[in-house]
Amino acid sequence: MFHAITGRRTAASLFALSLAAATALPFAAQAQDAAAAKPREATIIVTGEGSAEVAPDMAVVDLGVVKDAKTAREALDANNKAMAEILAALKEAGIEERDVQTSGFMINPQYQYPQSSTGENPPPVLIGFQVTNTVTLRVRDLSKLGEIVDKTVTLGANQGSGIRFVNDKPEATVSAARKKAVENAVAKAKELTEAAGVGLGRVIEISETSYRAEAMPIARTMAKDFAAAGAVPVAAGENSYSVTVNVTFALNN
């Protein structure tokens, strides 16, 4: 008796589910047809660009000491001495420990390749070792930059890969560039829609596609000379921050 009742209930449940599914199918088909019949909204996508300039407030400098000697020990000792004097001078100049970081260290054997008049290839001859120690430092007081570079060279720095002028907190400048980019996109959209004889509608989507910071050429800026008397002359110029955005607008017929 129990099994018969259970069987009837199961059959009834399956029938109800089948009926519900069959009833739902026409409504789903109608919804799909309605979505397909709805015309696609006309839009226009415009790219806007904006930039803002600001004077840098910090310099990033890469300096290195390269020493050669007959043995690796001698080259390392000479390098250590020079680098220790440089680090002490940086500390005395007000450079904090957080702003000095070792960025490279190498010990390389140096070989001489003899020339042969018989066409043979003689093996290279080991003639010594070279030790290179490189540090990256941030100079937050730009008025001391020329003096610091001059002092480190005097103490033995004989390798460098350049000076990069940056901003510690560029967010306000980037925000100004971003606003200009959006304004530029809106102006372009208005110009295009007016030329096409259609109305410009609401903003549907905004996306930032790129952001970059680059130093402006010194010739194009009011560069300030930060070099002290007798120090290395340096000019900071300005940094330009650029933002590109894509904005999608609806069109009003």
Side-chain angles (χ1 to χ4, degrees):
M1 185 66 176
F2 174 77
H3 293 291
I5 294 175
T6 303
R8 285 198 296 273
R9 288 179 178 176
T10 302
S13 299
L14 291 174
F15 176 76
L17 289 173
S18 299
L19 180 60
T23 305
L25 284 174
F27 290 103
Q30 291 175 6
Q32 291 178 355
D33 292 340
K38 183 179 180 181
R40 179 182 176 185
E41 185 175 19
T43 62
I44 180 174
I45 301 175
V46 180
T47 298
E49 298 175 342
S51 63
E53 291 70 40
V54 64
D57 55 22
M58 185 168 60
V60 180
V61 185
D62 295 316
L63 294 172
V65 176
V66 181
K67 293 293 183 181
D68 297 302
K70 291 290 185 181
T71 66
R73 179 75 264 171
E74 291 172 334
L76 181 61
D77 289 344
N79 195 299
N80 288 347
K81 181 177 181 300
M83 184 56 74
E85 292 177 352
I86 289 173
L87 294 178
L90 292 175
K91 184 176 181 180
E92 184 179 349
I95 304 297
E96 300 180 22
E97 291 185 2
R98 65 180 178 135
D99 290 329
V100 182
Q101 185 178 53
T102 298
S103 53
F105 183 84
M106 295 185 296
I107 300 177
N108 293 319
Q110 302 297 296
Y111 293 97
Q112 186 179 65
Y113 296 87
Q115 298 294 322
S116 173
S117 58
T118 62
E120 298 178 354
N121 292 321
V125 179
L126 179 65
I127 60 173
F129 290 85
Q130 182 180 86
V131 174
T132 304
N133 191 349
T134 306
V135 295
T136 299
L137 61 135
R138 290 176 292 190
V139 181
R140 298 179 185 273
D141 185 353
L142 293 181
S143 65
K144 296 181 178 180
L145 178 58
E147 180 184 352
I148 288 173
V149 173
D150 185 80
K151 184 66 173 179
T152 55
V153 172
T154 300
L155 294 175
N158 53 6
Q159 185 182 74
S161 58
I163 299 174
R164 302 181 301 280
F165 290 101
V166 299
N167 294 92
D168 187 27
K169 296 179 179 180
E171 290 82 6
T173 307
V174 174
S175 178
R178 189 174 288 120
K179 291 177 181 178
K180 289 182 179 180
V182 174
E183 291 172 358
N184 179 247
V186 172
K188 284 183 178 180
K190 288 181 178 179
E191 182 178 352
L192 290 170
T193 53
E194 287 175 3
V198 295
L200 185 64
R202 72 187 193 285
V203 173
I204 296 176
E205 182 179 287
I206 301 178
S207 63
E208 184 175 308
T209 59
S210 68
Y211 152 69
R212 68 182 185 276
E214 55 187 15
M216 295 183 66
I218 297 299
R220 292 171 51 198
T221 65
M222 297 297 291
K224 182 178 179 181
D225 190 351
F226 287 105
V232 176
V234 292
E238 286 186 335
N239 288 335
S240 177
Y241 293 86
S242 300
V243 174
T244 302
V245 298
N246 282 339
V247 184
T248 301
F249 297 89
L251 294 179
N252 295 331
N253 296 326

